[in-house]
Amino acid sequence: SPSSSSSSLSPETVISIVTSVSTQEKKEFLLQTCPFLKPNQIIVRSANSGVYDAQLTEALQSIQQQQQPQQQQQEEEEEAEEGKRHEGFDVIMDAIGGYTFKPNYNHLSRGGRLVTFGSSDFTPMRDTVNWPKLIWKYLR
């Protein structure tokens, strides 16, 4: 298996990725345009940071439960060899910032990435780049 450090991510080392959106319609859009994301990887976030924190925990547990037991055992062995504990997300894509920063940061694995993109104050009001898709291409 390829050698990896906690400071480098690649498709082979990304175990868990999640993004959040403000509406069910945006979730449906991401499911249609970003085939690498599964429904449990897209959170329709609550405006309450405490509830959002619980949503992140639930999403992480769901993703971990979906992993094949054999794959999970192999990853745990590799992580033990590297001294890496996988207790959070490898990548969190966040399009809002503000109140989501702390819950997002607290749910990152060691060496995980918090990617903040867009902003209602700075995002153009026209069709633009599909940021989650672009971020995934960058990670590849």
Side-chain angles (χ1 to χ4, degrees), residues 72-100:
Q72 190 172 1
Q73 180 181 358
Q74 179 183 2
E75 289 165 353
E76 288 172 0
E77 290 169 3
E78 290 172 2
E79 290 166 0
E81 288 174 14
E82 298 171 4
K84 177 184 176 186
R85 294 183 351 207
H86 190 77
E87 297 176 353
F89 291 104
D90 292 315
V91 179
I92 298 175
M93 298 185 294
D94 179 34
I96 191 166
Y99 78 92
T100 63

Side-chain angles (χ1 to χ4, degrees), residues 23-74:
T23 66
Q24 185 64 34
E25 291 78 23
K26 290 179 182 178
K27 179 175 182 172
E28 295 301 323
F29 174 78
L30 285 181
L31 288 170
Q32 291 173 5
T33 60
C34 301
F36 58 88
L37 289 172
K38 295 176 180 69
N40 65 337
Q41 293 176 292
I42 305 170
I43 297 170
V44 179
R45 70 181 164 272
S46 169
N48 178 309
S49 65
V51 173
Y52 178 63
D53 186 75
Q55 288 176 302
L56 285 168
T57 299
E58 184 180 321
L60 182 60
Q61 290 170 348
S62 173
I63 291 167
Q64 289 173 338
Q65 288 173 356
Q66 281 186 335
Q67 291 179 354
Q68 297 294 332
Q70 183 179 11
Q71 177 188 2
Q72 190 172 1
Q73 180 181 358
Q74 179 183 2

